[in-house]
Amino acid sequence: MTATGASEGARVRGAPTAGPWWWARRRSAVLDVFLAVVSGLECALEGERFAANAQLPEALGLLLGLVVGAVLLVRRRWPVVVVLVAIAVLPAEMGALLGMVGLYTLAASDVPRRIIALLTGMTIVGGMLTAFFAMRQDVVSEPAFHPPAWFLPVMTMAVCLVMTAPPVLWGLYVGARRRLVESLRERADGLERELSLLADRAEERAEWARNEERTRIAREMHDVVAHRVSLMVVHSAALQAIALKDPEKASKNAALVGDMGRQALTELREMLGVLRTAEGSAVRRAPASDAPQRLAAVAAQAKAKTPAAAPGGPAAGVPVSAEPDGEGPCLAELAELVGQSRAAGMTVELSVEGSSGGDIDGTGPDYGPGVEQTVFRVVQEALTNVHKHAPGARARVRLAHRAGEVAVQVENGPSARGATDAGLPSGGNGLVGMRERVTALGGAFVSGPTDEGGFRVSAVVPAVAPAPATG
């Protein structure tokens, strides 16, 4: 807005071709030039008549009319100036077109309403006085015409309203409509920017989700496969050591290795089937389900479907327990997990505090499947690390059911003297995966070496996992 109150917003509303100076479009400039020419001719004729009545040179009246009419060229830049000029020439009875166009432009601009009302009132008062004295002079010049007393005021008011009300009302309507369109355009631009930001954020969330999914898949693959492969390597090393001394025990170890290998392959095949994107391309042993399944649930179902291969009970084969569909490993399988490590030659002690009935089979209060699966995976990975890094060491697994939480601790001593290292590789992902699982449920995870030269892993998991954050 300029110092005179005119709006410069019109120049922002660009067109295919920009106009010169303060015009936003060329056709606006052409229209203003045409109006200025018409108003100039009108004011010139009226100025000549005014000069004759005032006994002034006619050339001065013509020049004054042309200058006054040309003021319409700046009506878009300075509408207040145009209206003031129109009010100034009212006593000369000139500038009718100038006043109407000026009032319309003023009402349609962004000039404050109080200024519009003030200038409109000044125009009405000036027009009424000019029209009243002009009509009175005409009435006096006609001796035969004797109008009533109300005639002159009513006619004067009517003429002024006809000359001022239509352009002002039309200008107010056009200005309000223009501001509404600009507001809608700005709102549309704002919505477009917001949609663009939302799209960028959605892309960021999608990338974050892909990274999280890759991490979760890697963690599941590590938890499900690494444990069994580690036991296979341990049994293979034992088989190599006793192959000639104790053929019967070597045969049992060979059966264990074969059984664990089949289970690892089955679970790996099931998980890879879930990861396939093409429908029906997954190779499954069970009928495909329309609903997506978690990798942990698939691994659990695969383990449930795998029979114990070696005869002779637990000492000859790895026991496998069936689990409900859609559930991962549970705390009831901790005893079975510890039994697998014992079968591999590790001395493992399992103790449970707060369990119902005082048994030590890993049972206790019912928790959510995510909580039980997390605790199971922590114990599984900790025992796998003992096989890898502390061959021959004694291990102790402690499970405590507390009010509102479950705690687990796996501690092992130093490696036994003379124990043969199985040579298992380590990628350093085990502790990271355990920490991610526990912290994702709002729990606490601590790991580190002990004073005796062993290693301790501790985790506390809330009994109720926090709800996943949305958006």
Side-chain angles (χ1 to χ4, degrees):
M1 186 176 294
T2 62
T4 57
S7 173
E8 297 182 354
R11 74 179 67 183
V12 180
R13 299 186 296 274
T17 304
W21 294 339
W22 52 82
W23 286 286
R25 294 170 293 186
R26 288 186 178 179
R27 65 179 184 180
S28 299
V30 172
L31 176 62
D32 288 353
V33 170
F34 173 76
L35 291 176
V37 171
V38 175
S39 179
L41 293 176
E42 177 202 358
C43 292
L45 295 176
E46 294 173 347
E48 181 182 4
R49 185 180 58 189
F50 171 74
N53 295 334
Q55 298 180 359
L56 296 174
E58 294 184 359
L60 180 60
L62 290 174
L63 180 61
L64 177 62
L66 292 176
V67 172
V68 170
V71 174
L72 281 181
L73 291 174
V74 297
R75 71 182 184 94
R76 300 178 189 270
R77 186 70 180 270
W78 298 301
V80 175
V81 173
V82 176
V83 176
L84 290 176
V85 171
I87 294 174
V89 297
L90 279 176
E93 298 182 5
M94 58 188 297
L97 179 63
L98 175 68
M100 296 178 65
V101 175
L103 287 176
Y104 163 79
T105 306
L106 178 68
S109 67
D110 291 335
V111 175
R113 293 296 179 88
R114 62 179 181 274
I115 298 180
I116 296 176
L118 176 62
L119 294 178
T120 303
M122 293 173 59
T123 303
I124 293 176
V125 172
M128 288 182 64
L129 293 175
T130 302
F132 179 81
F133 287 110
M135 288 184 181
R136 184 178 180 182
Q137 185 176 2
D138 293 339
V139 169
V140 171
S141 62
E142 295 291 338
F145 183 64
H146 300 285
W150 54 265
F151 178 78
L152 288 179
V154 171
M155 291 301 297
T156 301
M157 185 175 297
V159 171
C160 290
L161 290 178
V162 170
M163 297 294 292
T164 58
V168 171
L169 294 178
W170 182 251
L172 291 175
Y173 166 75
V174 172
R177 182 177 178 273
R178 182 182 302 162
R179 285 186 290 271
L180 176 62
V181 172
E182 291 178 355
S183 175
L184 294 177
R185 184 182 293 112
E186 292 176 358
R187 186 178 301 177
D189 294 340
L191 290 177
E192 185 176 357
R193 289 191 296 268
E194 290 181 4
L195 289 177
S196 178
L197 291 176
L198 290 176
D200 295 340
R201 292 178 181 176
E203 182 63 26
E204 293 176 0
R205 288 196 297 267
E207 181 65 24
W208 176 84
R210 285 192 291 267
N211 293 334
E212 288 293 317
E213 186 64 14
R214 283 194 290 266
T215 302
R216 188 181 68 87
I217 292 172
R219 187 169 58 242
E220 294 290 344
M221 296 279 287
H222 178 274
D223 290 345
V224 173
V225 179
H227 180 69
R228 298 195 182 281
V229 173
S230 299
L231 293 180
M232 290 172 59
V233 175
V234 172
H235 281 292
S236 298
L239 176 63
Q240 183 180 5
I242 64 173
L244 299 178
K245 300 178 180 179
D246 192 350
E248 182 179 356
K249 190 173 182 180
S251 176
K252 292 181 179 180
N253 285 338
L256 284 173
V257 172
D259 182 43
M260 293 178 184
R262 282 188 292 272
Q263 292 183 27
L265 287 176
T266 300
E267 295 172 4
L268 182 60
R269 186 181 297 113
E270 292 291 337
M271 285 189 295
L272 293 178
V274 173
L275 295 178
R276 294 184 184 274
T277 56
E279 183 179 358
S281 63
V283 180
R284 299 176 181 272
R285 292 183 180 267
S289 173
D290 294 335
Q293 298 178 341
R294 297 174 302 172
L295 292 178
V298 174
Q301 292 176 5
K303 189 174 71 171
K305 292 192 293 288
T306 305
V318 177
V320 179
S321 61
E323 298 167 7
D325 292 342
E327 297 291 339
C330 58
L331 295 181
E333 300 179 29
L334 283 182
E336 175 185 339
L337 179 66
V338 171
Q340 295 177 4
S341 296
R342 289 171 179 167
M346 180 190 299
T347 303
V348 187
E349 177 185 353
L350 173 63
S351 63
V352 179
E353 301 176 5
S355 61
S356 57
D359 53 352
I360 57 171
D361 60 352
T363 62
D366 293 332
Y367 303 105
V371 175
E372 295 198 12
Q373 179 182 351
T374 298
V375 175
F376 182 90
R377 294 301 188 194
V378 168
V379 176
Q380 183 185 54
E381 180 60 28
L383 293 179
T384 301
N385 289 340
V386 176
H387 285 290
K388 288 182 179 180
H389 307 294
R394 300 175 59 90
R396 182 180 183 185
V397 179
R398 299 178 59 187
L399 179 67
H401 303 281
R402 302 171 183 171
E405 63 183 17
V406 56
V408 63
Q409 182 183 88
V410 180
E411 181 178 353
N412 64 273
S415 301
R417 295 182 179 179
T420 304
D421 190 354
L424 291 168
S426 176
N429 297 319
L431 294 177
V432 175
M434 284 190 284
R435 185 181 302 277
E436 289 177 351
R437 284 182 178 275
V438 174
T439 55
L441 297 180
F445 178 84
V446 179
S447 63
T450 62
D451 296 336
E452 293 78 11
F455 200 83
R456 181 187 298 115
V457 172
S458 302
V460 178
V461 183
V464 179
T470 58

